[in-house]
Amino acid sequence: MLDEALEWLRVAPGGTYVDGTVGLGGHSLAILERSAPDGFLIGLDWHEESLALAKERLKPFSGRYVLVRENFANLKEVLEKLSLGPVGGILLDLGISSYLLEGSGGGFSFKLDEPLDMRMDKRNIQTARDLVNQLSVTQLEELLRSFGEERFAGRIARAICEERKKGSIRTTKQLADIVWRAYPPKARRGKTHPATKTFQALRIAVNKELDNLAKFLREAPDLLKPGGRLVIISFHSLEDRLVKQAFKGDERLKVLTKKPVVPSPEEVSKNPRARSAKLRAAERV
């Protein structure tokens, strides 16, 4: 949803913008191109390897951007350290990149056999392996139900606790196989893999994603100039609900999207991962 994001962000020459989820730099690159010749970008990402790749990609725009290894939840502190005032727009794309899923070795995908890690920032201590092997069956069930909206949370939690009696659960393949076996046979026939929601729940818990988003939503309006835009693309109902409620209940913001903007059928056909994307935009009053 690149074009839609840029339109709602109202990117223009000379503006100062924040890309709070740089990833490999796709949105950042487009913002710099559209805000040429003198627009400026502050880019944040807490995944070290992704940020390094983005830096290489953005080299042609040297002098017009700064990249910071930090989570968007701490944008206020970042802007203060950089002595930068309110900005013209802030963009968050909360989706997990193809690189993280397939090329980072971070244990984010149930399709690969990798160490069960899932940390976006390796400076953090707790991993998905820690949660899977240390939480009680009740705690695991609550985690899967709350962060994954997993209807078979109890079955999966019990299966995990039974399996770890044999030894530590160390890899993504081990976990994916446990979830597969825990699912009722009829329920395995859906479009999504049975492990999808379990992996989502663990990733959210490891990286405190909902806490970070909530903190950002409280602080972001004050980081915008009057008329500045806040654009957020979310990929599951937990995130979208937080964004919707925050926009609606904040007197500092005017909601621009009464209903979320969704990708076109053409985009979904080219990029099936975009099918669940929802874009919401608001403006600082």
Side-chain angles (χ1 to χ4, degrees):
M1 300 183 74
L2 176 61
D3 291 336
E4 294 92 336
L6 295 179
E7 289 300 321
W8 284 105
L9 199 60
R10 203 165 54 185
V11 177
T16 300
Y17 303 95
V18 171
D19 182 353
T21 49
V22 170
L24 299 185
H27 284 117
S28 294
L29 181 69
I31 290 170
L32 286 165
E33 288 175 342
R34 189 168 292 201
S35 65
D38 53 349
F40 191 78
L41 173 83
I42 303 104
L44 281 68
D45 204 292
W46 60 350
H47 189 258
E48 187 174 20
E49 292 83 0
S50 295
L51 204 61
L53 292 168
K55 188 174 183 180
E56 285 297 313
R57 191 174 185 182
L58 299 179
K59 268 187 175 179
F61 302 94
S62 180
R64 289 184 50 214
Y65 70 88
V66 59
L67 297 182
V68 182
R69 186 185 177 195
E70 186 55 88
N71 184 269
F72 58 76
N74 299 318
L75 176 58
K76 180 180 178 181
E77 292 84 349
V78 169
L79 293 179
E80 288 173 353
K81 287 181 181 178
L82 295 172
S83 299
L84 291 170
V87 299
I90 304 171
L91 171 66
L92 295 187
D93 180 346
L94 301 174
I96 185 166
S97 71
S98 296
Y99 171 70
L100 283 179
L101 284 171
E102 299 166 0
S104 69
F108 294 98
S109 175
F110 49 79
K111 295 179 181 180
L112 303 173
D113 192 11
E114 296 176 337
L116 195 54
D117 193 316
M118 298 195 194
R119 288 174 295 169
M120 297 284 191
D121 188 339
K122 293 298 175 68
R123 294 172 297 187
N124 294 336
I125 297 172
Q126 190 177 65
T127 67
R129 177 181 168 183
D130 294 330
L131 295 178
V132 165
N133 287 289
Q134 294 173 9
L135 295 183
S136 69
V137 65
T138 303
Q139 290 170 324
L140 277 171
E141 181 177 354
E142 177 60 25
L143 185 152
L144 297 176
R145 203 179 300 283
S146 297
F147 295 155
E149 299 180 302
E150 173 55 74
R151 59 177 173 153
F152 300 115
R155 293 174 66 121
I156 295 168
R158 289 191 294 273
I160 288 171
C161 290
E162 281 299 312
E163 186 68 25
R164 71 192 192 193
K165 290 177 182 177
K166 305 172 188 176
S168 178
I169 300 169
R170 298 172 177 269
T171 71
T172 52
K173 187 177 186 305
Q174 277 181 283
L175 180 60
D177 288 346
I178 293 166
V179 177
W180 175 271
R181 293 193 298 269
Y183 249 59
K186 288 184 179 180
R188 298 172 189 161
R189 300 172 188 167
K191 293 182 179 180
T192 57
H193 191 285
T196 300
K197 292 182 176 180
T198 293
F199 273 64
Q200 172 187 301
L202 287 167
R203 193 196 74 232
I204 289 173
V206 166
N207 298 291
K208 297 180 171 57
E209 293 178 21
L210 298 182
D211 290 342
N212 289 330
L213 179 57
K215 179 177 185 287
F216 169 83
L217 289 167
R218 289 193 299 271
E219 297 179 354
D222 287 334
L223 307 179
L224 290 166
K225 296 177 179 178
R229 297 282 181 90
L230 177 57
V231 177
I232 302 179
I233 305 171
S234 60
F235 285 81
H236 57 75
S237 60
L238 297 172
E239 292 171 338
D240 183 58
R241 196 177 303 130
L242 270 179
V243 175
K244 178 183 177 180
Q245 292 173 349
F247 281 9
K248 186 177 180 181
D250 198 320
E251 294 180 351
R252 298 167 293 178
L253 296 173
K254 177 176 73 174
V255 177
L256 302 175
T257 49
K258 291 184 179 180
K259 292 184 177 180
V261 179
V262 297
S264 66
E266 292 77 17
E267 180 170 0
V268 173
S269 67
K270 294 177 183 176
N271 178 21
R273 285 183 183 152
R275 65 184 181 276
S276 57
K278 291 182 178 179
L279 181 153
R280 293 186 187 272
E283 183 175 289
R284 180 71 161 96
V285 296

